Amino acid sequence: MDPSRLQPHASNPTADNEQDNNNHRITSRRIQRLTLHLNPTSSSNPQLQLLTCAARGKLNVSTPHLSMYMRGKYRDEQQKVYDFFKSRPELQTPVEISKDEHRELCMRQLLSMVREGGIRPFKYVVQEPGRYFAIAEAAGILDVSFGVKLGVQYSLWGGSVLNLGTKKHKDKYFNGIDSVEYPGCFAMTELHHGSNVQGLETVATFDLLTDEFIIDTPHDGAIKWWIGNAAVHGKFATVFAKLMLPTHDTKGVSDMGVHAFIVPIRDMTTHETLPGVEIQDCGHKVGLNGVDNGALRFRSVRIPRNNLLNRFGDVSRDGKYTSSLPTISKRFAATLGELVGGRVGLAYSSVGILKIAVTIAIRYALLRQQFGPPKQAEISILDYQSHQHKLMPMLASTYAFHFATTNLVAKYSEMKKTHDEELVADVHALSAGLKAYVTTYTAKSLSTCREACGGHGYAAVNRFGSLRNDHDIFQTFEGDNTVLLQQVAADLLKQYQKKFQGGTLAVTWNYLRESMSTYMSQPNPVTSRWEGEDHLRDSTFQLDAFRYRTSRLLHSAAMRLQKHTKTLGSFGAWNRCLNHLLTLAESHIESVILETFIKAVKRCPDPSSRAALKLVCDLYAMDRIWNDIGTYRNVDYVAPNKAKAIHKLTEYLSFQVRNVARELVDAFDIPDFVIRAPIGKQTPVEVYTEYRQQIGF
Ligand SMILES: Cc1cc2nc3c(=O)[nH]c(=O)nc-3n(C[C@H](O)[C@H](O)[C@H](O)COP(=O)(O)OP(=O)(O)OC[C@H]3O[C@@H](n4cnc5c(N)ncnc54)[C@H](O)[C@@H]3O)c2cc1C
C-alpha cells in the first residue's frame, strides 16, 4: 500500500480548530450579552463571574515547580527506594524470567529492601499510612509483583494483625512481620466464595476442653484459594472462618459469624507444612507471577484461643462470647471496614502504574515520526489529532486521579487517627469507588498505550505487556469493581434517604444537599445554549454539569427501586436497576474527582503550574462531559450547539495539552532507571540506540 495515501490533509486541522473556536467564542459572547439584556436577573448568576482562562498560546510550564507541587511530602521516601534498587542491579527484575525465579526474586527484593536498605514500611501501616502507600507505590512501579508481595506481607497479613487484633497480637507478631521473619498470608477467599465473604464456609470451632479453636475446611468448596504468599513463602495465615461456639447445653454449636484467626502453616525452622495443613500452588497466572498464590485446606488444625484476632469479638476461657457490637452484621461490617486500607493502596498504586504507561506512550509519541505534508519532513505522531484524542484526555485523567487518590490517602490517614464515624463512612465509600473507577480506567489505558506505541509497544522490554497483565487483577482483588461500585450506589441511596429525613450528609456527598433541589427542576433553556469557551471552562459550570447528572441519576434510581421493590422485592429490584446504579456510582466518583482536581488547581502556589493544571483540569471535565453527552442531551441540559462546542473545545484542549505534554509527564518525576522502557526514556536522542542494544543489535 502506498503510504502517501495515508497522509493527513495538508492544512493543519488544529489551526482550523483554532479558527472555529475563535468564531465560537465571538458568537457565544454575543449570545451571552443578549441573554443579559433579556434576563437581567441572571447577572447575579455566579456562572457569569467568568474565570480568566489559561493563555491561548503555548503555556510556559516550569517542570520543577509543577513537579514540586505534585511530589507530595513522601517523594523522598520513594527516592530512597529507587536509590537502593539502583545500587543493586542484581535485584532488578529482568524482562524474561520464569515463575519460580520471579517468586524468589520478589522475596529477595522485599528482604533486601527491609534488612539491607533499612526501609521498613510496616510501622507506617497504621501510624502514617501516606508514607506506607508511597513506599508500596514505588515498589510496584519497580515491579508490580514486588509491590503486591509487599502489600500481602504488610497491608494484608500485617494489617489484619494490627487492625483486627489487640495489644497481645501486636506484641507477639510486630517485629517478625516487620523484619519478614514471619512471612504471612491473608486467607479470606475460598474456591466457592470470593466477593460474597459472608458466604465463606471454613469453620473455627471452640474446644472448651483444650482451650483451642479447631480450624476445618468442611468440603472442597471451602478450600482457601488464591492466597498470596501461601504457595512458597508464608509461615502464618490470617484465616477468615465462621466462629462456632458450643451452646449452653453443649449439644450443639452456634454460628457467631465470620472472624479472623492466626494460623501457623509452616514450621518456623524447617519450613515444612504443619500437620493438618495442606498447601497447593495455584500455578502460573496471567500476570503477577512474582507472587506465590496458593490454596489451603485445613483438617482439624488446632490453634490456641489467643489466636483469635479479638478486637471486635472475643471468647472467654469458659466459652462465653463478648463484643461491643450487638449483631453479626455489625461485627462483620467493622471487620471489613478495617481492611479498606488495601483498597486505598490499590487505587493509589494504580495511578502510579498509569503514570508509567502514559509517560512511555507520550514520550514515544513525541519522538516517533510518521508521514507528513507532501515534500516536507515527517511529523511526530503526537501531532495527529487521533493520537492526541487517545493520549491527552488520558494524561488529564492521570493528573485528576493523582489528586483524587492523594486526597483519599489524606482522608484515610485522618480516619486512622480520629476514628471519626462520619469519616469512616466517607472513606469506606470513597475508597471503594475510587479503587473501582481508577483501576478500571488504568486497565483500559494500558491497552490503549500499547497500541499507541505501535509495534514497539509490543516488545516486552517496553513494559506494556507486563504492566497490563500484572495490573489487570487490580480490578478484581480487594473487592471486584462491579461489586464495589454497588457499595457506592447503596451509600448514595442511603444519603438520599437521609436528606429527605433531614439527617446530616457525609462530607463527600454534601453537594447533594444543595444540588437535589436545584437539579430536580428542568434545566435552564438559556444556559443550556451557552457555548462560549469562558463559560465551558468555568469550573462552576463543569461541576454543575457533573453534579446535575449524578443528582438526576440518583433521583431516578431511587424512584425506580421504589417502584420495582413492590413487585420484585428489594433484591430483584436492585438487580433490575443494576446498570443504572453502576452508572450512578461512576458519575458520583467522577464528580468527586473533578471537585478535588479543581481545589488542587486553586491551591497551587506557582502561577505557571496553576495555569497548566487548569488547562488539564478543563480537558478532564470536557472529555467526561463529551463522553456522556447523550445523557446531557436527553434531558436538554445541553442544547445541540453547546454539545458541538464541547466537542470542539475537547479537541482544542487536547491540542493545547499536547504542546506541554513533555513537561507534564516530566513533572511525574519518575527516574529513567525506573521507567526502564527504552522508548519511554527522558533522553530521546538515545532511545532507538538503547532499544537496539537491548536486543543486542
Ligand atoms: C492474583 C490473585 C491474588 C489474590 N490474592 C488473594 C489473597 O491474598 N487473599 C484472598 O483472600 N484472596 C485473594 N484473591 C481473591 C480475590 O480477592 C477474589 O478473586 C475477588 O475478591 C473476587 O472474587 P471471585 O474471584 O470470587 O469473583 P466473583 O465474585 O465470582 O466474580 C465473578 C464475576 O461476577 C461478577 N459478580 C459477582 N457478584 C456480583 C454482584 N453482586 N453483582 C454483579 N456482578 C457480580 C463480578 O463482577 C465478576 O465479573 C486473589 C485473587 C487473585 C486472582
Side-chain angles (χ1 to χ4, degrees), residues 78 121 131-141 146-148 150-151 345 349:
Q78 297 195 317
R131 195 174 291 279
Y132 169 75
F133 292 130
I135 297 172
E137 187 202 18
I141 283 179
F146 171 37
V148 171
L150 183 148
S349 296

Side-chain angles (χ1 to χ4, degrees), residues 411-573:
K411 278 189 176 208
Y412 176 76
S413 308
E414 184 63 19
M415 179 198 94
K416 279 284 174 207
K417 262 193 234 142
T418 62
H419 301 283
D420 176 84
E421 250 181 53
E422 261 188 27
L423 198 54
V424 170
D426 198 15
V427 169
H428 201 272
L430 197 57
S431 60
L434 276 175
K435 184 270 184 187
Y437 190 87
V438 169
T439 58
T440 299
Y441 187 94
T442 300
K444 286 195 186 118
S445 302
L446 284 165
S447 285
T448 308
C449 286
R450 200 297 298 153
E451 183 275 331
C453 293
H456 296 318
Y458 203 63
V461 72
N462 287 322
R463 290 194 73 184
F464 292 117
S466 57
L467 287 175
R468 189 173 55 186
N469 289 355
D470 290 346
H471 174 277
D472 192 68
I473 194 65
F474 280 35
Q475 299 174 93
T476 302
F477 59 24
E478 295 283 351
D480 170 85
N481 284 357
T482 307
V483 175
L484 291 182
L485 285 176
Q486 291 179 58
Q487 292 179 14
V488 178
D491 208 67
L492 279 161
L493 285 157
K494 211 164 84 188
Q495 303 288 335
Y496 178 81
Q497 227 173 10
K498 259 192 183 178
K499 183 201 145 52
F500 288 110
Q501 289 161 1
T504 52
L505 302 189
V507 192
T508 310
W509 321 140
N510 230 341
Y511 73 88
L512 293 172
R513 179 184 300 288
E514 299 91 51
S515 56
M516 287 310 289
S517 31
T518 321
Y519 296 145
M520 282 314 103
S521 54
Q522 283 307 305
N524 181 331
V526 176
T527 52
S528 70
R529 297 192 54 77
W530 284 0
E531 58 174 16
E533 183 179 328
D534 289 346
H535 164 67
L536 298 178
R537 297 184 66 175
D538 181 350
S539 49
T540 313
F541 158 69
Q542 295 164 358
L543 259 183
D544 198 69
F546 277 51
R547 291 170 172 183
Y548 175 82
R549 184 182 48 160
T550 312
S551 303
R552 294 287 295 215
L553 284 164
L554 177 55
H555 181 68
S556 51
M559 295 298 111
R560 286 186 66 208
L561 280 172
Q562 200 177 28
K563 181 179 124 195
H564 290 304
T565 304
K566 288 180 195 144
T567 48
L568 302 173
S570 56
F571 188 86

